[in-house]
Amino acid sequence: YIYFFSSEENKEIFMNNPIKYIRQPKPKPSVPVKIAIVGPPKSGKTTVAKKLASVFGLLRLSLGDALRLVINTQPQSELALTVKMHLHKGLTVPDELAIQALDVALLNHVCNTSGVVIDGYPLTRKQVNLLESAKIIPVKIFELEMDTKEVFRRALLDKESTNRPLYPEHNSSQILAIKNSCYKKHIKDIRTYYMKEHQNWCVIDAVQSRWWIWNKVQKEVQVVAKEIQIYLERINEGKAASIADLCITPQELQDRLGETGQYCPVSLAEKGELVDCSLTSSLQFAAEFQGQYYKMASQEELDKFLSRPEVYVSSLASHPLPPPDWLPKKLTVEEVKALLPGSVEMQGYCPVTYLDGNQRYEALVPGNIKYAAKYRDKVYIFESEEKLQKFMRLPEKYWNLKSPRKLPPNKEPMLLTALPLAGYLEQAIATSLIKALHKVGCLKPKFPFLSVKDTALLFVACHLKAHNPRSSEPVRQMYQRKLSWFMEHCQLIPALGAAAAGPYQEPRCRPQGLNSKLQVFLSLK
């Protein structure tokens, strides 16, 4: 065999120990990948695209490159003549012609061997639809995210730079504002579409350093290329392979679902559980085997499926998927209300709580119509979302329960005014009453010439009136003033007692204000 080396040094190393280097496994064949980069003006799209092209050997291709390629290499073709006709008239090339030019440019041998990075495209929802119709689907689309302020800041720095090209550029503030506005207008719809249909969208903070951005992009591309290589290798060997990062649309998934549908075949075979994986559109735990797709509940189940898929999808499976009529179905509140009051099993009590509670009387808990399911033409209502999910996984375990003869009494609503006095006080004014009693216990007021009991009752009454949440603000303020007046007069006894503790004093020798307090005190009798 003849071997080629990248340098003289590597050749000498090989000559010294050739066996070491020829016993290693053959490198995996390179997989051509399609990458797209979008972002606002001045976000660094072209810089990242050029770096990808140089490191991974991809062809960097913008829409202008594709149009120039068609015009220069196929000048007499109908496509080139039509494109030139629009350009000579000073018109924008229609999206339909631009996509045709891009499709022609993708015939380049570099695109078919290494791959391509599409710079700054697509920019509108219409262009996305045209790409889809031409079967041009990037395996990864990087969105360089940046706010408007940063766009104009970078544009200003570019104008001050000494490395500007000699020819004039279309980078005035007005043109940048229009480009940025158009980009912001359409990018949300484009992002939503690709995240829903292909799950191949990756948002990158373009404000970070160019080294940080490049490391992030490089890692994502390496992961995608590795996933595709592993997929092709395992499928060629007849094994099951993960289909994450393969841009499979929901419709393609639905058309090629295996015999277990959207249910996890591993959970069904090993535990007999119906784990519905349709709740998430992610294909992170999905795999292909013998031309059919299967979705798993977690990474653990995916690893088991990839190692021994035939155990879970063939006749060896211990628990095949029941017929569609025997699969549990969640019900909405409107659907449950249409079936009430009849047709509900266990008289509306939660079967999961009852069976898990060893069928005891205390485990009879009424269900909530927000959590309902239909199974074998019977309707069940559950206590919570957790209980509903348990039933959906193991309906056979809970479906055929019989409610006991002795049931808890019906909880009918009762008017507040129909309660006895103690019950009314507890339900209506317990909090306010406790606050008033706590206050009177701390202050221990004593009104002149009234008993302690009468003083306490008057204080509680004024406190309740002053803090009644149902009264208007003016009424509460009036009683707050009365409560303050009441407490001021309650302070007369300790004040006069402290002043009169010594020997008798003549009125002119008494402390200032004592005579007025004494007169107020005597007037209260």
Side-chain angles (χ1 to χ4, degrees):
Y1 295 96
I2 298 174
Y3 298 92
F4 295 88
F5 304 94
S6 59
S7 66
E8 184 69 29
E9 181 184 357
N10 287 346
K11 175 186 171 185
E12 293 299 328
I13 294 173
F14 179 83
M15 295 287 286
N16 292 332
N17 190 4
I19 299 297
K20 176 183 177 180
Y21 298 100
I22 64 174
R23 281 185 173 176
Q24 61 182 328
K26 292 182 179 181
K28 294 179 180 178
S30 62
V31 178
V33 292
K34 288 189 183 76
I35 308 293
I37 301 177
V38 296
K42 303 298 180 181
S43 59
K45 301 184 295 293
T46 302
T47 302
V48 175
K50 288 180 178 178
K51 186 75 172 176
L52 278 172
S54 64
V55 172
F56 292 98
L58 309 179
L59 176 68
R60 177 193 160 270
L61 198 61
S62 67
L63 205 59
D65 295 334
L67 292 171
R68 282 188 289 271
L69 179 72
V70 170
I71 293 173
N72 295 332
T73 60
Q74 304 175 10
Q76 299 305 318
S77 64
E78 183 181 351
L79 176 60
L81 294 174
T82 310
V83 168
K84 284 192 285 187
M85 180 187 70
H86 282 83
L87 294 176
H88 290 159
K89 290 180 180 180
L91 303 174
T92 304
V93 177
D95 289 333
E96 291 80 2
L97 296 178
I99 293 297
Q100 291 182 38
L102 184 64
D103 204 11
V104 171
L106 290 176
L107 297 175
N108 188 298
H109 67 93
V110 178
C111 301
N112 296 321
T113 54
S114 298
V116 63
V117 51
I118 303 174
D119 185 0
Y121 203 79
L123 292 175
T124 65
R125 188 68 173 80
K126 179 184 177 182
Q127 292 171 358
V128 172
N129 294 336
L130 291 171
L131 285 174
E132 293 285 314
S133 62
K135 304 298 181 184
I136 303 173
I137 304 172
V139 295
K140 187 65 78 174
I141 301 177
F142 295 103
E143 177 193 352
L144 301 181
E145 193 176 43
M146 193 170 68
D147 59 17
T148 304
K149 185 177 179 181
E150 182 67 15
V151 170
F152 287 103
R153 190 188 73 85
R154 292 189 179 185
L156 187 61
L157 290 176
D158 285 349
K159 285 184 179 180
E160 297 173 354
S161 174
T162 57
N163 297 324
R164 296 182 62 191
L166 299 176
Y167 51 86
E169 291 184 297
H170 298 290
N171 61 351
S172 66
S173 57
Q174 293 85 355
I175 292 176
L176 280 179
I178 294 171
K179 285 184 176 181
N180 187 62
S181 176
C182 292
Y183 173 80
K184 298 288 186 185
K185 179 181 177 181
H186 297 287
I187 191 61
K188 187 176 179 181
D189 289 341
I190 299 173
R191 185 194 306 122
T192 303
Y193 175 82
Y194 277 111
M195 290 181 74
K196 179 183 177 182
E197 290 294 320
H198 300 294
Q199 302 169 26
N200 59 348
W201 195 270
C202 180
V203 179
I204 293 179
D205 185 6
V207 182
Q208 300 288 343
S209 69
R210 64 179 64 186
W211 296 276
W212 185 92
I213 294 171
W214 168 245
N215 286 334
K216 180 80 172 173
V217 171
Q218 186 180 31
K219 287 178 182 177
E220 291 288 340
V221 173
Q222 288 172 343
V223 168
V224 169
K226 185 178 179 182
E227 290 282 347
I228 297 173
Q229 283 180 334
I230 294 174
Y231 168 81
L232 294 174
E233 185 179 334
R234 292 184 67 89
I235 291 298
N236 290 334
E237 294 174 359
K239 299 178 181 178
S242 171
I243 57 174
D245 298 323
L246 295 186
C247 303
I248 294 171
T249 64
Q251 188 58 48
E252 290 172 342
L253 177 72
Q254 192 65 38
D255 293 341
R256 294 177 60 180
L257 278 175
E259 58 265 30
T260 56
Q262 295 268 16
Y263 291 93
C264 175
V266 179
S267 299
L268 184 62
E270 292 187 347
K271 307 172 189 175
E273 292 185 0
L274 292 167
V275 181
D276 189 2
C277 301
S278 63
L279 302 176
T280 173
S281 60
S282 173
L283 299 179
Q284 182 182 0
F285 307 127
E288 178 184 341
F289 181 61
Q290 295 180 348
Q292 292 185 308
Y293 295 148
Y294 301 89
K295 292 183 75 174
M296 266 55 72
S298 67
Q299 186 64 44
E300 181 182 354
E301 279 79 11
L302 176 61
D303 293 338
K304 289 180 180 179
F305 184 86
L306 293 176
S307 60
R308 299 178 64 196
E310 63 280 348
V311 176
Y312 303 109
V313 300
S314 64
S315 57
L316 297 175
S318 54
H319 294 87
L321 188 70
D325 296 340
W326 282 24
L327 291 174
K329 177 193 172 187
K330 287 185 181 180
L331 298 178
T332 62
V333 175
E334 290 73 20
E335 290 173 332
V336 176
K337 286 181 178 179
L339 298 170
L340 292 176
S343 305
V344 178
E345 292 299 305
M346 288 194 65
Q347 300 187 33
Y349 291 98
C350 177
V352 177
T353 307
Y354 182 57
L355 185 61
D356 291 349
N358 298 322
Q359 301 184 5
R360 292 178 291 116
Y361 177 81
E362 295 82 3
L364 285 169
V365 179
N368 189 331
I369 60 173
K370 292 181 182 177
Y371 315 111
K374 188 175 184 180
Y375 182 66
R376 296 199 182 187
D377 296 328
K378 295 182 179 181
V379 178
Y380 299 88
I381 301 177
F382 305 93
E383 178 188 4
S384 63
E385 178 68 26
E386 179 188 357
K387 308 294 183 182
L388 171 61
Q389 292 301 330
K390 249 187 172 181
F391 182 88
M392 298 295 288
R393 286 172 177 254
L394 293 166
E396 282 292 318
K397 180 179 178 181
Y398 300 104
W399 81 282
N400 206 18
L401 294 176
K402 301 295 182 184
S403 55
R405 293 182 180 179
K406 183 181 178 182
L407 296 173
N410 293 330
K411 295 181 180 180
E412 296 180 355
M414 191 174 187
L415 291 175
L416 191 64
T417 53
L419 293 171
L421 180 59
Y424 176 82
L425 291 174
E426 179 188 7
Q427 297 297 323
I429 62 169
T431 303
S432 300
L433 195 56
I434 289 171
K435 289 181 179 179
L437 293 173
H438 175 73
K439 198 77 172 177
V440 77
C442 292
L443 298 176
K444 297 181 176 61
K446 171 67 173 71
F447 197 83
F449 306 106
L450 286 182
S451 66
V452 174
K453 178 181 179 181
D454 290 344
T455 301
L457 288 172
L458 280 171
F459 180 89
V460 170
C462 282
H463 194 281
L464 290 174
K465 290 281 190 180
H467 297 87
N468 183 8
R470 294 193 175 185
S471 296
S472 63
E473 185 63 27
V475 172
R476 285 200 299 270
Q477 291 177 357
M478 180 183 71
Y479 279 102
Q480 285 170 6
R481 290 192 294 270
K482 286 189 176 183
L483 185 61
S484 299
W485 178 89
F486 186 82
M487 285 305 301
E488 286 175 6
H489 289 82
C490 287
Q491 295 297 326
L492 289 173
I493 294 177
L496 292 172
Y504 173 77
Q505 295 176 338
E506 293 293 334
R508 66 179 182 277
C509 299
R510 294 170 186 170
Q512 187 178 2
L514 180 61
N515 289 333
S516 62
K517 289 182 180 179
L518 187 59
Q519 290 175 6
V520 172
F521 175 79
L522 294 174
S523 68
L524 292 173
K525 187 175 181 181

